[in-house]
């Protein structure tokens, strides 16, 4: 059991290398072990390309290939049993006569969910599962939320002054967080499929909503503009990145700009959540404004909240920050100079 956890931990370390490149697939790592020695390692590197198990088996050196039929394959997520962008991994495992497979957790995707394990057992492969299951699920929390709850993983983020204001009454934009925190926020953006703001935030701040201060892909930009009030000179209309405008007037697509019509008589945040699920976007970072953020909170429709506080800044008057109710604080740090609190929705 101790060795199983050691090798599963290695699977998780490998899986993380695929971050930002494999979505909407999950991050997966795999190791092949003979006589307490790793003879192969692999991870899912790029969406549409070989899965972790394939890369793991392919990495085995020529002189070690004869050991495969007496080895144990460790994989952080249940091997797939269906034809998708690539052939089923269970077929490759069976073909290579691997006698034992240790799995971190089952795959919640309907086309897999238990079918990979069943197929391995039917081929008389010994299967163990549930090793570091909590850690394996946590790694792919976006993927699991998407397939189990049929909605994206929702992260709320805002910056506030020491006295709980997210903007001032002045026309000029209020800069709350420092340059180090701003870089961290751009790192957060690079980790999510999409980013969302409301009409007023887009109008007053004119944000680019990309991760120019960090490497990696920028998220798909999304704006809630029910009555299509936003002027087209704003940066979100520059068509440099794919942008979705949620509105109640039209459904239209022009190059990188998509007008997505929603039903405003229904709860707006539920409409947005459903739209993201149908567009196969597994996560969203909601960056404001206060009204939109509070709407997600009141609907109970969020997974994490990341609250940045500048403890040295107070303003006389302005828009109050959203309020979380009945949740718990996960962690607090001041690594960037600002105080950052991470909350999780436990409901």
């Amino acid at each position: 059991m101790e060795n199983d956890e050691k090798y599963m931990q290695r699977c998780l370390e490998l899986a993380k290398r695929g971050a930002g490149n494999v979505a909407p697939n999950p991050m997966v790592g795999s190791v092949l072990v003979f006589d307490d020695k790793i003879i192969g390692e692999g991870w899912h590197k790029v969406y549409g390309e070989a899965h972790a198990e394939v890369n793991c088996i392919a990495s085995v050196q020529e002189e070690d290939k004869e050991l495969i039929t007496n080895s144990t394959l460790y994989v952080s997520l249940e091997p797939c049993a269906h034809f998708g962008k690539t052939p089923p991994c269970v077929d490759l495992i069976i073909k290579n006569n691997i006698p034992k497979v240790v799995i971190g957790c089952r795959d919640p995707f309907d086309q897999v969910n238990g079918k990979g394990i069943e197929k391995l057992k039917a081929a008389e492969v010994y299967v163990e599962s549930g090793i570091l299951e909590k850690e394996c699920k946590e790694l792919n929390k976006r993927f699991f939320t998407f397939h189990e709850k049929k909605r994206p993983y929702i992260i709320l983020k805002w910056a506030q002054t020491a006295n709980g204001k997210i903007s001032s009454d002045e026309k000029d934009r209020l800069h709350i967080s420092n340059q180090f925190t701003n870089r961290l926020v751009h790192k957060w953006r690079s980790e999510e499929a999409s980013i969302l703001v409301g009409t007023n935030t887009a109008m007053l701040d004119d944000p680019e909503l990309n991760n120019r201060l960090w490497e990696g892909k920028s998220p798909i930009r999304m704006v809630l503009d029910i009555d299509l009030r936003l002027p087209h000179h704003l940066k979100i209309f520059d068509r440099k990145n794919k942008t979705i405008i949620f509105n109640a007037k039209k459904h239209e697509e022009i190059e990188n700009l998509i007008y997505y019509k929603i039903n405003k008589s229904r709860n707006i945040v539920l409409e947005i959540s459903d739209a993201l699920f149908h567009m196969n976007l597994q996560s969203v970072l909601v960056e404001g404004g206060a009204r939109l953020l509070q709407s997600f909170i009141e609907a109970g429709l969020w997974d994490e909240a990341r609250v940045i506080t500048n403890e040295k800044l107070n303003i006389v008057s302005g828009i109050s920050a959203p309020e979380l109710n009945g949740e718990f604080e996960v962690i607090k740090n001041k690594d960037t100079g600002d105080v950052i609190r991470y909350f999780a929705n436990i409901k």
Side-chain angles (χ1 to χ4, degrees), residues 38 45 68 78 102 108 112 124 126 177 187 249 263 277 335 340 346:
I38 293 177
K45 297 179 180 180
I68 292 176
E78 177 183 3
V102 179
V112 182
E124 298 186 347
Y126 180 78
S177 51
K187 177 179 182 293
K249 293 184 176 293
N263 181 4
F277 179 76
D335 291 345
I340 304 175
I346 59 172

Side-chain angles (χ1 to χ4, degrees), residues 27-45:
M27 293 174 279
V28 184
S30 180
V31 297
L32 191 64
V33 178
F34 173 80
D35 196 21
D36 207 23
K37 176 190 172 186
I38 293 177
I39 62 170
E41 292 189 332
W43 66 95
H44 186 28
K45 297 179 180 180

Side-chain angles (χ1 to χ4, degrees), residues 25-199:
N25 281 356
M27 293 174 279
V28 184
S30 180
V31 297
L32 191 64
V33 178
F34 173 80
D35 196 21
D36 207 23
K37 176 190 172 186
I38 293 177
I39 62 170
E41 292 189 332
W43 66 95
H44 186 28
K45 297 179 180 180
V46 179
Y47 174 70
E49 295 185 7
H51 289 185
E53 303 92 319
V54 177
N55 289 329
C56 176
I57 294 169
S59 76
V60 178
Q61 297 296 308
E62 193 63 41
E63 62 268 23
D64 290 334
K65 288 191 183 298
E66 63 182 26
L67 305 177
I68 292 176
T69 56
N70 289 300
S71 298
T72 299
L73 181 75
Y74 291 82
V75 60
S76 55
L77 189 72
E78 177 183 3
C80 62
H82 69 294
F83 281 89
K85 295 281 184 182
T86 59
C89 290
V90 291
D91 290 357
L92 182 68
I93 295 168
I94 294 166
K95 179 183 175 183
N96 279 274
N97 295 312
I98 296 172
K100 181 179 177 181
V101 177
V102 179
I103 297 166
C105 60
R106 280 173 61 142
D107 188 330
F109 183 42
D110 288 341
Q111 291 187 50
V112 182
N113 203 353
K115 297 181 180 68
I117 293 173
E118 288 174 12
K119 194 168 183 180
L120 288 171
K121 287 182 175 179
E124 298 186 347
V125 175
Y126 180 78
V127 179
E128 242 181 87
S129 62
I131 306 300
L132 296 187
E133 183 175 24
K134 182 180 178 182
E135 292 84 348
C136 290
K137 286 185 175 181
E138 175 64 22
L139 176 68
N140 285 304
K141 56 192 176 184
R142 294 159 182 82
F143 182 78
F144 274 83
T145 297
F146 187 82
H147 289 287
E148 292 179 345
K149 299 183 179 180
K150 309 302 180 188
R151 65 163 177 83
Y153 189 85
I154 299 169
I155 302 170
L156 311 180
K157 170 262 165 182
W158 69 87
Q160 62 185 25
T161 63
N163 60 334
K165 305 295 182 184
I166 65 168
S167 65
S168 70
D169 291 333
E170 305 297 323
K171 287 185 178 180
D172 291 337
R173 182 177 180 181
L174 179 65
H175 295 279
I176 297 174
S177 51
N178 64 40
Q179 61 178 326
F180 302 106
T181 303
N182 290 340
R183 286 184 65 83
L184 176 61
V185 169
H186 282 235
K187 177 179 182 293
W188 292 347
R189 289 178 178 180
S190 74
E191 295 166 348
E192 309 310 329
S194 59
I195 184 170
L196 172 68
V197 296
T199 310

